[in-house]
Amino acid sequence: MDYFKILPADITADILSLLPAESILECKSVSKTWNNLISHRQSFYQMYLHRLLHPCAGSGSDSGKLVFLSLNKIGNFHYFEYNQSTKSQKTRRVNFASPFRYHTRFAGSCNGLICFAQDQFVCICNPITREYVVLPEFKTGCDINFGYVSSTNEYKVVGIECDSDVKLHIYTLGSGKGWRNLGDFKSHVLCLSYRAIFANETLYFLDHGSQMFITFDLAEEKFGENLSLPREICRRGVLDGILYVAAEVVVNGVECYDIWLLKQKSVNNETSEQQGLQSWSREFRVGDKELLAVTKRGGVLTYVDNYINMYDTKTSTSRRLVKFNNRLNRVYPHKNTLVSLKELGEEDIKVMRSIEIEETKSSEQPSKQLPQHFHHTKFNFRKACGL
């Protein structure tokens, strides 16, 4: 500690920001100086989040780790972590005094904050800092969506009220404005009755009738142009921050899924994201339709029922990594961060109980295999997405 005492505060903060989020919280107990540096400087949280979202800037011991949160059918949250370097995994049950006991709906995870709801109540929490807040009561007969706008550093909850008309309500964390009514949207009655997918600061509502996505810009808080689908789909989600859809195909009597990614088009060898030019691209085929992430070695993490699997696109085989005791309703990519609800401006912050470790089962046996004659192509995710 003698060496750290002579270091400028900025350099000490830079070193501490390279640690995993759990270790940073432990560092608060080392000395009053470190506690003040971590707890009372909003710039520290912003520095840590920036490094986590931009790995090239250095993300410390969390680099190479894929983290997810799942919600099972009895309302328990589970934390799952997969280390790409060591191919090891661990799980934990997120155990806290939730205000909800049954019929909990998982609305999503953004920068370490998770959002879930039950009937007219919505809760936002950070499992690492153990902060949580229950938002003002909101009457909704449908679903809750959660997203983040990076340009304004705003976290927004979108609630849908379905009565004789359909109304959209938005709650911006820390704004002090409560729920804001955006008005009636009669033309979107059917598509808005389903949960949206959040990616690239946009909510994608699926209109089953027209087989198109109805887009809602979270920053502008208005609907945009409709997005057509590449073909009839059976699943939609987000894969490493990119919107994907899964289309079912049958090969020699075996059900499998073609995965299409919404990529940015390139103009003069540069991505045209600012121009809004996007197109669907069929990238690979898997045996499970619920995708979580693509690993550095080209494997695909998937989940089905109460299993999380690793699918090998080269051999068309999958192996089970973890078996949970109960069926998984949803699994969301997650990042361990120090984002503070108090720093965002929320009031009535409460504290959870600590996280408990729960033993899980794993299996190395292949669960299923696609027809061997299927032609495999080498998959480079970053190149496919124009990154």
Side-chain angles (χ1 to χ4, degrees), residues 250-281:
V250 178
V251 180
N252 290 344
V254 178
E255 291 184 359
C256 40
Y257 305 91
D258 284 342
I259 304 303
W260 298 73
L261 300 178
L262 185 62
K263 305 191 306 181
Q264 300 294 337
K265 291 182 179 180
S266 296
V267 178
N268 297 328
N269 297 323
E270 295 183 357
T271 57
S272 53
E273 184 175 0
Q274 294 182 348
Q275 301 179 37
L277 299 178
Q278 298 174 312
S279 63
W280 292 103
S281 174

